[in-house]
Amino acid sequence: MLHPSLVTTLERFILDQEREHPDATGELTNLLYDIALAAKIIAAQIRRAGLVNILGAAGSVNVQDEEQQKLDVFANETMKNALNHTGRVCAMASEEDETIIPVPEGVQPGKYTVLFDPLDGSSNIDVNAAVGTIFSIYERRSASGQGTLEDVLQPGRNQIAAGYVMYGSSVMMVYAVRGGRVHGFTLDPTIGEFLLSHDDIRIPPTGKYYSVNESNFGRWSIGTQRAVRGFHGDDPARLKGKNSRYVGALVADFHRNMIAGGIFMYPGDRKNPNGKLRLLYECAPMAFLAEAAGGAATDGTRRILDIVPTALHQRVPLVIGGSDDVDYVRTVLIESGADE
Ligand code: AHG
Ligand code: MN
Ligand code: MN
């Protein structure tokens, strides 16, 4: 049985960290709790994902409206509802919403913006595989009132905190605050609490896994093809061959590489020069975590955290993981530039 003196809850951990920063107001702490609550609600719904149709068809259980909603819509609404009434945010932006999301009339706008991908890897739901939620927190730039586009279109290096929740064989929340390290918490479903399970996660400079959708190989640049051949072991003088793993959910692929060591790429190709992943909801928060864990993230030439966004749903190529592995890819891309 769990003894309170032996476990560190997410709440206790965040409070302890806050005490180390005497200027902290506690608002960020509460924002992280808000997200943890949303994560628990989303996790509970995901657990039932395969049952909704059965129970609905049998009519034996009162199926709530939200149970029939698509899970990405449910996750999006849950995140918004957990955050918008708190007085801590002035605006939100979500992968699922076309435009910036204001706080409701009558709610005092706060000093933060929160950006999120409410359900990452959503197609995995149909096959009972891992999915996630990604979040990113900034301090507003405008002085007061409802948040504006300039409050959310900030370079990733301005993030105050970022993290993800992974709904896998267990549910984990992983986050870092600016200047801090990366910590992981596993949800104990019996008590409904996130407990510290991975203190100070570090990405090894080089790892044994690479993750990329190789069905796009023929559309890649010569540089990207060379880099991936390097992963295969074709450039032994500079890089040891790696093992391939690809879940198709950024959260799951990134999480594995954080814990076990490795590199993830979603490069641009002839059809989609900027790749697939969104800067604000996927690349910037993961880059923030990667760097906080000693790793790196680039679009091939620029540090992801330095890219100044120009549009909410902007996409950028992503190379992220161990620092030496990311350096290898960057070098191969630069060397191959002239051969394209
Ligand atoms: P989302 O479900 O939020 O749209 O994200 C899916 C993304 C990402 O999680 C994953 O890394 C990538 O799509 C996989 O894309 P491919 O199927 O093209 O490999
Ligand atoms: Mn996504
Ligand atoms: Mn999504």
Side-chain angles (χ1 to χ4, degrees):
M1 210 181 54
L2 286 176
H3 191 278
S5 66
L6 296 178
V7 295
T8 305
T9 62
L10 176 68
E11 183 174 4
R12 176 169 160 188
F13 187 86
I14 296 175
L15 278 173
D16 285 350
Q17 286 217 318
E18 191 189 306
R19 270 187 219 108
E20 289 171 20
H21 299 276
D23 49 330
T25 60
E27 275 183 280
L28 181 61
T29 299
N30 285 320
L31 213 44
L32 291 167
Y33 295 160
D34 298 337
I35 292 169
L37 173 65
K40 287 188 226 176
I41 296 171
I42 295 167
Q45 197 71 3
I46 287 173
R47 290 269 164 273
R48 295 171 56 80
L51 294 170
V52 171
N53 288 340
I54 302 168
L55 300 179
S60 54
V61 170
N62 257 348
V63 180
Q64 304 294 313
D65 273 354
E66 61 264 28
E67 283 181 323
Q68 287 158 347
Q69 280 178 358
K70 286 190 65 184
L71 266 171
D72 39 16
V73 177
F74 177 85
N76 194 33
E77 293 306 311
T78 303
M79 285 293 282
K80 288 193 261 186
N81 290 333
L83 292 162
N84 67 6
H85 278 82
T86 58
R88 293 187 262 279
V89 304
C90 64
M92 292 167 287
S94 163
E95 188 199 76
E96 296 290 331
D97 284 80
E98 192 79 23
T99 55
I100 180 173
I101 307 155
V103 294
E105 287 292 316
V107 175
Q108 180 69 30
K111 79 174 196 203
Y112 295 104
T113 58
V114 185
L115 288 67
F116 46 86
D117 176 354
L119 199 71
D120 173 65
S122 42
S123 63
N124 275 6
I125 286 287
D126 293 339
V127 294
N128 199 8
V131 291
T133 297
I134 308 171
F135 62 91
S136 165
I137 301 175
Y138 293 85
E139 223 166 283
R140 69 183 304 164
R141 285 175 153 180
S142 57
S144 58
Q146 285 280 0
T148 62
L149 205 52
E150 83 160 322
D151 293 318
V152 293
L153 291 185
Q154 300 195 48
R157 61 170 181 264
N158 290 1
Q159 286 171 104
I160 302 293
Y164 59 82
V165 181
M166 177 168 160
Y167 313 99
S169 41
S170 60
V171 179
M172 269 192 80
M173 179 160 163
V174 175
Y175 81 93
V177 298
R178 189 151 76 195
R181 299 295 192 107
V182 182
H183 306 287
F185 299 81
T186 301
L187 182 65
D188 181 336
T190 61
I191 58 170
E193 289 277 359
F194 281 104
L195 305 178
L196 181 63
S197 53
H198 296 67
D199 195 15
D200 194 7
I201 299 170
R202 307 298 294 162
I203 307 183
T206 184
K208 57 181 171 184
Y209 295 117
Y210 78 96
S211 315
V212 66
N213 185 340
E214 278 193 77
S215 69
N216 297 325
F217 195 95
R219 292 200 298 265
W220 287 340
S221 68
I222 291 168
T224 302
Q225 292 183 346
R226 280 186 188 147
V228 172
R229 288 207 180 94
F231 299 157
H232 295 170
D234 290 4
D235 193 1
R238 292 199 295 179
L239 192 79
K240 235 175 108 197
K242 297 183 185 298
N243 213 336
S244 166
R245 291 283 186 279
Y246 194 71
V247 174
L250 173 65
V251 166
D253 282 310
F254 179 74
H255 182 72
R256 181 196 49 252
N257 294 347
M258 281 258 283
I259 303 293
I263 182 165
F264 172 95
M265 302 211 302
Y266 208 112
D269 60 42
R270 243 183 291 126
K271 206 165 92 192
N272 303 301
N274 291 317
K276 177 179 183 187
L277 301 178
R278 294 85 168 170
L279 174 60
L280 288 173
Y281 318 111
E282 297 173 315
C283 304
M286 292 315 207
F288 181 88
L289 291 169
E291 288 200 8
T298 176
D299 72 346
T301 52
R302 298 172 292 180
R303 176 182 176 231
I304 292 289
L305 293 183
D306 284 339
I307 300 175
V308 181
T310 52
L312 269 185
H313 297 284
Q314 182 174 346
R315 296 171 200 266
V316 288
L318 178 67
V319 180
I320 189 168
S323 53
D324 289 353
D325 288 340
V326 171
D327 260 348
Y328 172 78
V329 174
R330 197 189 296 120
T331 308
V332 171
L333 292 178
I334 291 168
E335 284 172 2
S336 305
D339 301 334
E340 299 296 341

